[in-house]
Amino acid sequence: MPKSAIASTPVRRRRKSLGQHFLTDPTIANRIVAAAEPDVSDTVLEIGPGAGVLTRRLVERAGRVVAVELDQRLCEELPGRLEFPPNLEVKREDGREVDPDDLVGEGTAYKVVANLPYYAAAPIVRRFLETVRPPTLMVVMVQREVADAMNAKPGEFTLLSVATQFYAEPSVVTQVPPRSFRPPPKVSSTVLKLAVRAEPAAAVADREAFFALVRAGFSAPRKQLRNSLMQGTGAAAETVAASLDGAGIDPQRRPATLGIDEWAALDARWPAGTPRSRAT
């Protein structure tokens, strides 16, 4: 796509309430689409198409593009802005609440490409990774600090690190400076490629129960793990100590140092009937 075509696409006034920062940098757009590797056999679900800089490239390469946009005016303008491509469908939906089957059709494999608003990035990513039928691949632009958490290594893990890497293998595509947007945000962004795993990174009996325990473990992330788990679950010190010992985990470690396999080992040794959070 020639650079002049991007320059000729007007960017309408944003709605601050939706956290809109429109991507205008053609180099970044090309890198995002290249990472997604769309072809004529692909259905691509784009979350937050905005002014259509990514959408334009996607409809040129993918067999089908379903664009999900919360802003009604952008929904109405997008097809005409792109000269009504026949392989584009525009849906007015909230990316945090959508059901992929309703958007692409039950049983249809799909990829996700998204320039995500900062306030909704983590919920949207988790929404698609945790759904019954996740995408085969996600390429998402998020705030740099969020990307760093998603892509962290044990030692710097957060709850978001575990929640992301349990389902996908992240890798950095490119860093994105504020000047790549109109208007420029106050923070930098990162494009992440999430290769969705065929099976989760660890086998657990109940994913909801597993993540309840992980959340409890991160309830006081600067404390030693035994203290954080006691605070987060309300379980007795003896119970926490026995579970950690059974999983072969030093109780003095910090939650950030545990890998997913270790969280799964702790989950497997947590006694039945013992709360996994103060809410259960």
Side-chain angles (χ1 to χ4, degrees), residues 133-204:
R133 205 169 52 77
T136 58
L137 177 72
M138 298 184 73
V139 181
V140 295
M141 181 149 51
V142 298
Q143 186 174 342
R144 183 170 296 179
E145 289 76 8
V146 172
D148 289 345
M150 290 180 176
N151 195 41
K153 305 299 182 187
E156 299 180 349
F157 262 15
T158 64
L159 175 59
L160 182 58
S161 311
V162 178
T164 302
Q165 295 182 38
F166 185 80
Y167 294 105
E169 298 179 68
S171 59
V172 173
V173 175
T174 189
Q175 304 294 346
V176 187
R179 66 176 179 272
S180 296
F181 301 90
R182 186 181 303 168
K186 296 180 180 179
V187 297
S188 296
S189 303
T190 300
V191 178
L192 276 187
K193 182 175 182 177
L194 302 174
V196 179
R197 304 178 190 273
E199 296 292 336
V204 298

Side-chain angles (χ1 to χ4, degrees), residues 3-273:
K3 185 174 181 180
S4 59
I6 297 299
S8 66
T9 301
V11 178
R12 62 175 290 272
R13 189 176 183 87
R14 68 165 181 155
R15 287 176 59 187
K16 292 183 179 180
S17 63
L18 297 181
Q20 292 173 334
H21 296 277
F22 299 112
L23 178 67
T24 57
D25 187 330
T27 299
I28 298 298
N30 288 337
R31 289 174 183 171
I32 293 171
V33 175
E37 301 180 6
D39 62 36
V40 293
S41 67
D42 283 330
T43 292
V44 177
L45 185 57
E46 184 186 7
I47 309 297
V53 170
L54 287 174
T55 319
R56 186 182 295 274
R57 287 162 165 75
L58 291 171
V59 296
E60 290 175 349
R61 297 180 56 177
R64 179 187 178 204
V65 177
V66 181
V68 177
E69 175 59 60
L70 187 56
D71 187 320
Q72 178 66 40
R73 185 177 298 178
L74 285 177
C75 286
E76 295 170 354
E77 293 176 353
L78 186 59
R81 188 188 299 274
L82 303 182
E83 300 176 353
F84 301 98
N87 58 338
L88 173 65
E89 303 166 37
V90 182
K91 309 282 188 179
R92 184 174 184 267
E93 301 281 356
D94 188 333
R96 295 168 294 181
E97 301 174 359
V98 293
D99 181 339
D101 282 342
D102 292 341
L103 296 172
V104 302
E106 188 172 353
T108 301
Y110 65 101
K111 298 176 178 179
V112 169
V113 175
N115 171 20
L116 296 174
Y118 293 146
Y119 72 91
I124 289 174
V125 169
R126 291 191 60 181
R127 173 78 175 177
F128 281 94
L129 291 180
E130 295 173 3
T131 191
V132 173
R133 205 169 52 77
T136 58
L137 177 72
M138 298 184 73
V139 181
V140 295
M141 181 149 51
V142 298
Q143 186 174 342
R144 183 170 296 179
E145 289 76 8
V146 172
D148 289 345
M150 290 180 176
N151 195 41
K153 305 299 182 187
E156 299 180 349
F157 262 15
T158 64
L159 175 59
L160 182 58
S161 311
V162 178
T164 302
Q165 295 182 38
F166 185 80
Y167 294 105
E169 298 179 68
S171 59
V172 173
V173 175
T174 189
Q175 304 294 346
V176 187
R179 66 176 179 272
S180 296
F181 301 90
R182 186 181 303 168
K186 296 180 180 179
V187 297
S188 296
S189 303
T190 300
V191 178
L192 276 187
K193 182 175 182 177
L194 302 174
V196 179
R197 304 178 190 273
E199 296 292 336
V204 298
D206 183 322
R207 294 181 191 178
E208 186 175 345
F210 169 76
F211 279 109
L213 187 61
V214 176
R215 280 194 299 273
F218 279 102
S219 62
R222 295 185 180 182
K223 291 185 177 181
Q224 294 180 356
L225 187 59
R226 61 184 173 190
N227 295 328
S228 185
L229 283 167
M230 287 170 56
Q231 175 177 312
T233 66
E238 300 80 22
T239 299
V240 173
S243 299
L244 288 168
D245 183 64
I249 299 171
D250 184 342
Q252 296 185 348
R253 288 173 62 183
R254 298 294 192 272
T257 67
L258 269 65
I260 293 175
D261 286 343
E262 292 176 301
W263 283 113
L266 178 60
D267 171 74
R269 288 160 180 79
W270 198 258

